[in-house]
Amino acid sequence: EAGVAQSPRYKIIEKRQSVAFWCNPISGHATLYWYQQILGQGPKLLIQFQNNGVVDDSQLPKDRFSAERLKGVDSTLKIQPAKLEDSAVYLCASSLLGGASSVAEQYFGPGTRLTVT
Amino acid sequence: EDKVVQSPLSLVVHEGDTVTLNCSYEVTNFRSLLWYKQEKKAPTFLFMLTSSGIEKKSGRLSSILDKKELFSILNITATQTGDSAIYLCAVAGPRNKLVFGAGTILRVKS
């Protein structure tokens, strides 16, 4: 079974530039998550999709971050404009379930390491 | 605010030692507790615990949950250098939303 795919693996940009990350979840997984992991911290959920609908985006800085999951499969996360504090690893994960009463392990992709200079 | 606290923050042991990693939590509407191992970048799933007092075991790793005292432990026996990693604890609430702790950095010396 293929895992969660992400690209690019590394990205270096200057502040105020824009950047986009792509994620393809495990086939058949309805729920997709984007996390931000700053060095020395655990991953923090930015946004959760179930199929192509947003379930939770309460921690997404909406003035600069946006995400979409058209057609309920792959997803893109965009930052525009980037700030120095956005330097982090951006992890995508997917799970089979994710409804209000379900629990399911999340499978993570390799992540994208973003450096903002 | 939901909170997950792991201890110790880091530790160094020698091969063959046994280690115990701790995770305490304050989360509304608890659904499950998960342990992940993070090497390089992607966290890999270890265990999911939903019931108190039932030990989950996989090889040299085991974990148990105490829902009354709101904590979990992860034990690794006969440690090997390949166990060196960051161990992340996360708690799942409604809609499978995970709240992670900061992790424990384990280094196993040969």
Side-chain angles (χ1 to χ4, degrees):
Chain A
E1 178 184 80
V4 176
Q6 289 188 248
S7 66
R9 295 294 304 276
Y10 305 90
K11 191 74 178 178
I12 301 173
I13 61 172
E14 295 181 353
K15 60 184 179 184
R16 291 187 289 274
Q17 287 186 322
S18 63
V19 65
F21 313 125
W22 175 82
C23 172
N24 193 35
I26 293 172
S27 178
H29 280 195
T31 308
L32 184 148
Y33 314 78
W34 283 102
Y35 289 87
Q36 179 192 59
Q37 187 174 22
I38 293 170
L39 188 65
Q41 299 180 20
K44 181 184 85 171
L45 180 70
L46 293 175
I47 189 167
Q48 176 182 348
F49 292 95
Q50 180 141 354
N51 296 307
N52 59 348
V54 175
V55 173
D56 188 327
D57 64 357
S58 57
Q59 297 188 98
L60 186 75
K62 298 180 186 65
D63 58 333
R64 298 183 301 105
F65 286 64
S66 64
E68 59 182 14
R69 191 184 184 198
L70 301 174
K71 301 180 183 176
V73 181
D74 55 354
S75 175
T76 56
L77 176 71
K78 296 179 183 176
I79 308 174
Q80 181 179 12
K83 292 185 175 181
L84 296 176
E85 59 260 37
D86 298 332
S87 294
V89 175
Y90 290 84
L91 295 164
C92 179
S94 69
S95 69
L96 199 54
L97 301 171
S101 60
S102 68
V103 292
E105 54 263 40
Q106 296 179 22
Y107 297 89
F108 285 81
T112 297
R113 182 178 296 280
L114 174 67
T115 303
V116 182
T117 63
Chain B
E1 184 180 330
D2 295 342
K3 190 166 61 172
V4 177
V5 178
Q6 293 186 244
S7 64
L9 290 180
S10 66
L11 72 163
V12 180
V13 300
H14 288 94
E15 271 191 314
D17 288 351
T18 293
V19 298
T20 298
L21 310 182
N22 304 294
C23 175
S24 63
Y25 62 90
E26 293 176 27
V27 173
T28 53
N29 296 313
F30 173 93
R31 293 281 191 265
S32 65
L33 185 145
L34 297 92
W35 285 97
Y36 285 86
K37 178 182 181 182
Q38 188 171 28
E39 301 167 278
K40 308 283 184 181
K41 282 187 200 166
T44 54
F45 172 77
L46 295 175
F47 297 111
M48 181 165 68
L49 304 153
T50 54
S51 302
S52 262
I54 299 173
E55 185 183 52
K56 291 225 172 173
K57 201 168 168 64
S58 175
R60 297 176 294 102
L61 277 66
S62 64
S63 184
I64 197 160
L65 173 67
D66 185 328
K67 290 168 74 173
K68 184 180 175 187
E69 300 297 330
L70 308 183
F71 79 90
S72 174
I73 60 171
L74 175 68
N75 279 320
I76 309 175
T77 58
T79 52
Q80 302 171 357
T81 55
D83 295 327
S84 296
I86 300 171
Y87 290 84
L88 294 166
C89 173
V91 175
R95 300 190 186 91
N96 213 34
K97 177 178 178 178
L98 292 184
V99 177
F100 280 87
T104 293
I105 302 170
L106 173 65
R107 182 179 162 213
V108 181
K109 295 169 71 173
S110 57

